[in-house]
Amino acid sequence: MLAATAAAQTRTTEVVLGTATPGGGFPLYGAGLVETVHEADPALTVTPRNTKGSTENVPLLEDGKLDIALVQGEVAHEALSGIGRPPADLKIIAAMYSTPGMFVVRADSPYRTIADLRGKKVAFGARGSGLVILARYVLDGVGLDQAKDFDAVYLDRAGDGPAMVMDGRVAALWGGGVGWPGFTRVAQGPAGARFIAPSAEESARIRAKHAFLKPMTIAAGSYPGQESAIASVGSWSFVLARPTLDSDVAYALARALHRGESDFAKRLPQARESTAANTVAAAPRPELIHPGVRRYLHEIGLLPN
């Protein structure tokens, strides 16, 4: 028995992780997750793979072409709830981070409200990104249409957006969350950055129409030159798993991420929210959490038996 246990401990399990296009927040987060898991459990090897983003990650998971993948909140909501499609048989491995959505413009631009951007050229992100869908819900909540009320630009690579704001090719870039690379690059540019989020009245209208979106705040100092907190709306992104991911592998992933929480937070600001406790709090329903993860959460006292 001891020999069998030792052999099992030295066996390496490879898990393929879908992220998104280079230059965006998901590949950055994925790199931090890979390092964190490897340090906490050397028997687990997570291999990242660039994809087109959340909207491609869901069908790749369903087809078993990825083991786990990063999926933005609105895409996860639509997939798991069966909005516009049959409900996806995918399970939650971990909550990633909350994603309050907002626009960034150059600080020397005249734009200060969402209404100011009507009719302007706006980069909404990579076409396959879940951030594009978050923008659609936010704008719909204030009576605007992403395609009709803006000169919408969709990117081949998420990393292309900041330069387009800084050199004036677009008036604004849509994004979300803390530590998002696109926002950081614009804020570090020569003109600096101004952030545009829904007003309090607009946020109330958005949440009245789309109740799954929650009030969220980006703390002051989250980006260079950002002196005040920014209130917006958004949702939680998740690490989701294919339906057939082995329960022991899901358990090992949950354990490694939990053990590595403090190291992950040091690697990446937004990973401060990547905790086992937040996985329990953010999951729409406990049964959507992978059974292997639920087993681990029971063991550490975060889910009742």
Side-chain angles (χ1 to χ4, degrees):
M1 184 180 294
L2 289 174
T5 301
Q9 287 175 341
T10 58
R11 190 181 305 126
T12 299
T13 300
E14 182 182 10
V15 178
V16 179
L17 165 70
T19 59
T21 61
F26 274 14
L28 190 67
Y29 184 93
L33 184 149
V34 167
E35 293 175 6
T36 299
V37 168
H38 179 71
E39 285 190 3
D41 186 352
L44 270 178
T45 298
V46 180
T47 303
R49 180 184 299 171
N50 289 120
T51 67
K52 294 178 182 177
S54 297
T55 57
E56 184 181 39
N57 287 346
V58 167
L60 288 175
L61 286 171
E62 290 180 298
D63 292 342
K65 295 178 180 177
L66 296 171
D67 296 314
I68 59 175
L70 310 182
V71 180
Q72 200 267 346
E74 283 62 48
V75 178
H77 168 72
E78 291 186 350
L80 297 173
S81 302
I83 296 174
R85 48 153 298 149
D89 183 20
L90 304 178
K91 297 298 182 184
I92 294 169
I93 296 294
M96 293 170 57
Y97 47 74
S98 58
T99 308
M102 57 186 183
F103 296 96
V104 66
V105 300
R106 284 172 38 153
D108 59 359
S109 78
Y111 314 115
R112 296 183 177 274
T113 67
I114 293 175
D116 291 340
L117 296 173
R118 287 189 70 173
K120 303 298 187 297
K121 188 168 283 190
V122 174
F124 284 104
R127 194 172 293 276
S129 169
L131 285 169
V132 174
I133 297 176
L134 173 59
R136 188 184 72 206
Y137 277 110
V138 168
L139 294 173
D140 178 70
V142 296
L144 296 173
D145 185 285
Q146 194 178 75
K148 296 178 181 176
D149 292 310
F150 303 87
D151 185 356
V153 176
Y154 300 100
L155 309 170
D156 293 326
R157 293 163 46 99
D160 295 338
M164 298 175 73
V165 175
M166 290 188 285
D167 66 20
R169 280 177 286 165
V170 298
L173 171 67
W174 170 263
V178 174
W180 194 61
F183 286 165
T184 300
R185 282 184 59 198
V186 175
Q188 291 174 337
R194 177 186 303 123
F195 295 97
I196 297 175
S199 67
E201 184 271 334
E202 287 172 332
S203 291
R205 288 169 58 195
I206 293 164
R207 289 185 285 112
K209 189 167 185 180
H210 302 298
F212 73 93
L213 294 176
K214 306 300 179 186
M216 295 178 174
T217 301
I218 294 180
S222 296
Y223 292 100
Q226 180 214 338
E227 297 179 355
S228 302
I230 303 169
S232 186
V233 296
S235 63
W236 279 84
S237 296
F238 293 100
V239 182
L240 296 183
R242 60 179 166 85
T244 53
L245 184 72
D246 184 81
S247 186
D248 288 342
V249 174
Y251 176 97
L253 283 167
R255 182 180 59 192
L257 287 169
H258 183 232
R259 289 177 175 176
E261 282 178 3
S262 60
D263 290 333
F264 202 177
K266 292 173 186 174
R267 288 187 171 98
L268 204 63
Q270 56 266 54
R272 294 169 191 160
E273 294 184 298
S274 301
T275 65
N278 278 338
T279 296
V280 174
R285 303 185 303 278
E287 60 268 25
L288 290 176
I289 301 174
H290 194 288
V293 177
R294 289 207 306 269
R295 175 159 55 96
Y296 180 74
L297 295 173
H298 284 310
E299 288 183 8
I300 62 174
L302 288 178
L303 275 180
N305 290 318

